Amino acid sequence: MEIRLWGVRGSLPTPMTGAEYRHKLVNALAQACELWRSNPAQSSADLIRQLSPEFCGVIGGDTTCVEVRAGDDILILDLGTGSVRLGQQLERQDFRGDLHILLTHTHWDHIQGWPFFRPAYQAENHIHLYSCLPDLRQRLERQQHPDHFPLSFDRLPARVSFELLEPGASFSIGGFQVTTKPLIHPGGSIAYKIEYGGRSFTFATDTEFYGPDLHRQMDDYYAFFNHADLLVMDAQYSLEEAEQKRGWGHTAMTIAVDCSLHWQVRELALTHHEPAHGDHSIWEIFQEAHEYLAEFATGATELRIQMAREGDVYRLPPRPA
């Protein structure tokens, strides 16, 4: 099973500013010069591999979209602006056929890529939209009202089907086994656990674990998240911001680490980054989460944490028989 992140920002797209770019460039050049002085025979590729990840790449500005592949089976999670580039890639690959899209909810940053999703403009395609929302069609139609978009939903060339799920439902799509779980978020949001080849990937964006009931919350969700091979989880805030924005429906990075330790997750990717934060601020909060993990992890803990970045790919090979 291969998981690719196409969009990792929360709330709204966040392009890099010129000032941010210059900050990265200056620091990357300073690091590269120091490395080159220590070994002038190094190639540029060798130098780049040694640079701090904060300076040799970007976190990305597109909103939430994740692609999951296993063999010929494809699942797509959410349709934020990251889905635009995913759709362009599918078009370049001359994709034709059935696409299965799992929606967590319809807040703007999770559907705003849909009107620009190229596979919806190919008549040969059949797009299956899964959600726990009985009025999903009406919500997408409103997004493409003539006041907001030049082409109405019912004029899209592809065939579009709506698959209504009961919260907590478990079902199969191709070789994938999918299970749902309602999350803590204003207006509701759904987590998806996807199992394939004895491995499990869990996607839990837009959820708030916080407050005096935190340990009860973690216990309530234990069975769903327990021993996930990979968890991609909402981690929009610093701990201070989480306190200031209680009830907004998002989690602090350090609390996402807490949850993952409790659930015995193997790898955690922290996502849905705050649009008010530049890359530097997000890396600072990630460093706090890393230090928190080092302080509170026990000797038996397997947990590894990663910063979710556009273009990142996670591979979960089938578990040996």
Side-chain angles (χ1 to χ4, degrees):
M1 182 161 50
E2 182 178 279
I3 297 98
R4 185 181 298 271
L5 309 183
W6 289 93
V8 297
R9 284 283 178 171
S11 303
L12 72 160
T14 313
M16 180 179 291
T17 65
E20 280 189 276
Y21 173 74
R22 288 189 292 274
H23 173 76
K24 282 183 182 286
L25 184 59
V26 166
N27 282 277
L29 288 171
Q31 284 189 358
C33 286
E34 189 172 329
L35 290 165
W36 181 80
R37 287 192 192 99
S38 67
N39 180 7
Q42 294 181 86
S43 68
S44 57
D46 289 334
L47 289 172
I48 289 171
R49 276 192 291 270
Q50 297 174 72
L51 294 178
S52 164
E54 179 185 346
F55 304 129
C56 69
V58 298
I59 289 172
D62 277 321
T63 58
T64 301
C65 179
V66 177
E67 176 190 14
V68 184
R69 289 191 183 230
D72 294 329
D73 296 327
I74 303 174
L75 296 181
I76 297 170
L77 294 153
D78 279 348
L79 291 164
T81 57
S83 68
V84 178
R85 290 182 298 108
L86 169 55
Q88 291 167 347
Q89 174 169 290
L90 290 169
E91 185 176 50
R92 287 192 298 270
Q93 294 171 345
D94 200 29
F95 176 87
R96 297 291 186 274
D98 289 79
L99 268 181
H100 300 271
I101 300 173
L102 310 175
L103 290 177
T104 61
H105 63 314
T106 57
H107 283 171
W108 180 233
D109 50 322
H110 296 264
I111 62 169
Q112 63 196 146
W114 167 253
F116 304 93
F117 186 60
R118 293 302 305 165
Y121 292 83
Q122 298 293 337
E124 303 93 327
N125 290 339
H126 183 181
I127 298 175
H128 305 259
L129 292 170
Y130 298 77
S131 80
C132 295
L133 302 166
D135 62 341
L136 177 60
R137 183 185 184 97
Q138 288 75 27
R139 295 182 186 211
L140 295 179
E141 286 175 343
R142 288 198 295 271
Q143 183 179 219
Q144 288 181 238
H145 186 278
D147 287 347
H148 311 301
F149 197 75
L151 186 75
S152 64
F153 182 90
D154 59 7
R155 291 177 57 203
L156 290 171
R159 179 184 174 193
V160 182
S161 298
F162 293 87
E163 315 288 344
L164 180 61
L165 307 173
E166 289 295 327
S170 185
F171 55 97
S172 297
I173 301 175
F176 296 112
Q177 184 65 28
V178 183
T179 306
T180 65
K181 180 75 172 177
L183 291 169
I184 307 160
H185 189 69
S189 182
I190 296 292
Y192 290 97
K193 177 164 63 177
I194 299 168
E195 296 171 283
Y196 187 97
R199 301 287 186 178
S200 64
F201 159 54
T202 306
F203 182 61
T205 186
D206 289 63
T207 188
E208 181 173 6
F209 285 88
Y210 192 72
D213 292 333
L214 176 60
H215 289 288
R216 179 188 59 77
Q217 292 169 352
M218 292 193 295
D219 287 341
D220 288 347
Y221 282 84
Y222 181 84
F224 183 78
F225 289 102
N226 181 32
H227 287 112
D229 290 295
L230 173 65
L231 168 61
V232 175
M233 183 175 177
D234 186 304
Q236 184 160 337
Y237 297 144
S238 67
L239 195 58
E240 181 181 3
E241 288 170 322
E243 174 61 29
Q244 295 169 349
K245 298 179 179 180
R246 293 181 66 172
W248 287 37
H250 300 288
T251 301
M253 279 198 189
T254 51
I255 293 179
V257 171
D258 248 343
C259 292
S260 297
L261 287 169
H262 185 78
W263 298 328
Q264 300 175 74
V265 169
R266 293 182 175 85
E267 188 162 15
L268 167 67
L270 300 151
T271 193
H272 207 268
H273 305 303
E274 166 63 42
H277 294 165
D279 283 13
H280 180 70
S281 297
I282 297 172
W283 279 109
E284 284 186 331
I285 300 170
F286 179 76
Q287 182 60 35
E288 292 173 5
H290 212 281
E291 292 168 359
Y292 184 88
L293 174 63
E295 181 176 356
F296 290 99
T298 65
T301 298
E302 297 182 46
L303 179 63
R304 303 181 305 277
I305 65 172
Q306 310 288 347
M307 172 78 78
R309 296 174 295 178
E310 275 182 26
D312 282 352
V313 177
Y314 297 87
R315 293 179 175 88
L316 303 178
R319 196 176 297 278

